[in-house]
Amino acid sequence: MGAFAKPRLVVSRCLEFDNCRYNGDVIHHPTIRKLMKYVDFLTVCPEVEIGLGTPRETIRIVRQDGEQRLVQPKTERDVTVDIERFSNAYLQSLEHIDGFILKSRSPSCGLKEVKLYASTEKGPAVGSSSGLFGGKVLKKFGHLAVEDEGRLNNFLIRERFFTKIFLLAAYRELKKEGSLERLHDFHENNRYLFLAYSRPTLKLLTRILKNKDRHAQDELFSLYEKGLQRLFLRTARYDSSLNAAREMVKTFEVQLNEREKSHFLEMTEKVEEKKEPFSSVLAMLKSWAYRFENEELLRQSWFQPYPEDLLEISDSGKGRDY
């Protein structure tokens, strides 16, 4: 694989970058540290930006008269309007970004599972919600790669996030060039990755390119981009990934002997039974691509959708099942 485009991500400033948590702490996260070599980060802390300072009294989301308000219980200060004003202006100012990593369960940045309270008085949470800033991110940029740092401890979620940010970054750079030839190459080099995520979306993207003469160039790139955004609405499940592997192995049908074909079939059955990781099938296919010098397949992003240094197959060990 060649060089990877550099994704641009917005990140909560308290994650590795600054001691701006309410208690003056910074949160260390290995995934974000590893990404620093490959990603341009834009840091943000909505609570600091509206002047709450560090350290500061905690804030919480409170349900009042059917509305969700962001308040500081100790001072009874309502900062809802301040956060909303900042969030709208900040998100409107963003250009050329590929995703977000936000602080989990934060009343400002949280994407989900943020505690919702009935009042500023002490008492249990009565529900959950999104943070005020995080909710606006999901509404405006939900088509991009958006995660919180907690979910990135899960290997499958992390792998999907990495795949998405580097694919979106590559397309963003490609779009700047405006070359239809490069767009066609991008499509062909990602064909099996697209197939592993969604056969209908691959067909849609292929159809857009086949009908390129019906659209102005800017419209064509826009249509293709919208198709890409649909691609990650579902994960690359075992069944669709195995179907993509079976499509790829057809390339070697006349070159493989019966024992090799049988071994491939046994391996895919073990993956279906969750007795073998899918990476074993992918490694087998790549070895055959090398063996038979199939340069077209070796260019497939599916074999390495993001920098190898980022690969870490273990979960955090916290046992959270997403």
Side-chain angles (χ1 to χ4, degrees):
M1 295 295 296
F4 289 89
K6 205 167 190 180
R8 299 185 75 236
L9 302 181
V10 175
V11 63
S12 289
R13 193 175 299 152
C14 63
L15 300 175
E16 283 291 343
F17 288 92
D18 193 14
N19 297 69
C20 62
R21 288 277 285 159
Y22 71 93
N23 58 359
D25 282 350
V26 62
I27 296 173
H28 298 292
H29 198 278
T31 296
I32 295 173
R33 268 202 311 277
K34 291 180 76 172
L35 279 172
M36 288 179 181
K37 180 179 177 182
Y38 300 100
V39 167
D40 286 330
F41 279 116
L42 289 71
T43 67
V44 64
C45 178
E47 296 174 32
V48 170
E49 295 292 348
I50 65 169
L52 290 182
T54 306
R56 56 188 172 274
E57 296 296 335
T58 58
I59 56 177
R60 63 166 56 174
I61 301 178
V62 175
R63 185 182 292 151
Q64 293 180 349
D65 300 324
E67 294 185 352
Q68 293 183 12
R69 310 294 298 180
L70 193 59
V71 298
Q72 202 169 45
K74 189 165 184 178
T75 65
E76 296 188 353
R77 179 181 172 186
D78 187 324
V79 298
T80 308
V81 173
D82 295 328
I83 284 284
E84 288 186 339
R85 185 181 294 121
F86 166 76
S87 299
N88 291 334
Y90 179 81
L91 296 178
Q92 188 66 34
S93 72
L94 292 176
E95 292 182 325
H96 312 305
I97 59 166
D98 306 300
F100 294 74
I101 303 177
L102 299 179
K103 178 67 193 78
S104 61
R105 305 181 186 180
S106 159
S108 57
C109 288
L111 299 171
K112 57 179 64 177
E113 297 183 347
V114 179
K115 291 181 179 180
L116 176 65
Y117 293 88
S119 72
T120 57
E121 302 296 326
K122 288 185 178 180
V126 295
S128 63
S129 180
S130 298
L132 268 66
F133 178 80
K136 289 182 180 294
V137 167
L138 288 174
K139 187 174 181 179
K140 186 174 178 62
F141 294 105
H143 58 283
L144 299 181
V146 182
E147 283 293 356
D148 64 50
E149 94 289 357
R151 282 170 51 89
L152 290 180
N153 290 323
N154 178 284
F155 165 67
L156 293 176
I157 292 173
R158 188 168 64 244
E159 182 180 51
R160 179 173 180 252
F161 182 78
F162 288 167
T163 300
K164 188 171 184 179
I165 62 174
F166 284 98
L167 181 69
L168 292 177
Y171 185 76
R172 177 169 49 78
E173 292 297 318
L174 169 65
K175 191 177 176 183
K176 286 181 188 177
E177 297 179 28
S179 166
L180 292 179
E181 182 179 354
R182 292 269 287 113
L183 178 59
H184 184 270
D185 290 343
F186 173 86
H187 182 75
E188 290 304 315
N189 292 342
N190 285 287
R191 176 174 293 277
Y192 286 96
L193 175 65
F194 294 167
L195 182 58
Y197 273 85
S198 172
R199 184 183 293 271
T201 303
L202 171 61
K203 288 182 177 179
L204 170 66
L205 294 171
T206 302
R207 188 162 60 249
I208 289 170
L209 289 182
K210 282 185 177 178
N211 295 328
K212 62 181 182 295
D213 294 337
R214 298 182 185 178
H215 308 285
Q217 185 163 305
D218 287 348
E219 183 186 8
L220 178 72
F221 274 87
S222 179
L223 286 171
Y224 194 91
E225 185 172 5
K226 288 177 181 176
L228 276 186
Q229 292 167 2
R230 286 181 50 181
L231 188 72
F232 292 93
L233 293 178
R234 53 170 283 182
T235 58
R237 300 194 304 254
Y238 276 119
D239 56 352
S240 54
S241 294
L242 285 171
N243 287 336
R246 293 181 183 111
E247 287 285 329
M248 183 177 282
V249 82
K250 291 177 183 178
T251 310
F252 310 115
E253 270 187 331
V254 298
Q255 296 163 304
L256 298 175
N257 60 45
E258 291 306 313
R259 293 183 69 182
E260 287 172 319
K261 292 177 183 178
S262 177
H263 179 54
F264 176 81
L265 180 60
E266 290 173 6
M267 188 67 73
T268 57
E269 288 174 350
K270 287 181 179 179
V271 171
E272 286 181 322
E273 296 167 0
K274 297 186 177 180
K275 295 179 179 179
E276 192 76 30
F278 179 74
S279 57
S280 299
V281 172
L282 210 54
M284 187 186 306
L285 290 168
K286 190 172 184 179
S287 71
W288 287 337
Y290 277 123
R291 175 180 160 192
F292 301 121
E293 299 181 346
N294 191 319
E295 295 301 323
E296 182 179 345
L297 289 188
L298 288 172
R299 287 193 293 270
Q300 287 297 313
S301 65
W302 198 33
F303 288 131
Q304 190 181 333
Y306 52 83
E308 191 174 16
D309 288 353
L310 295 175
L311 180 63
E312 184 179 353
I313 63 172
S314 63
D315 283 348
S316 68
K318 295 179 180 179
R320 185 72 188 275
D321 182 4
Y322 289 96

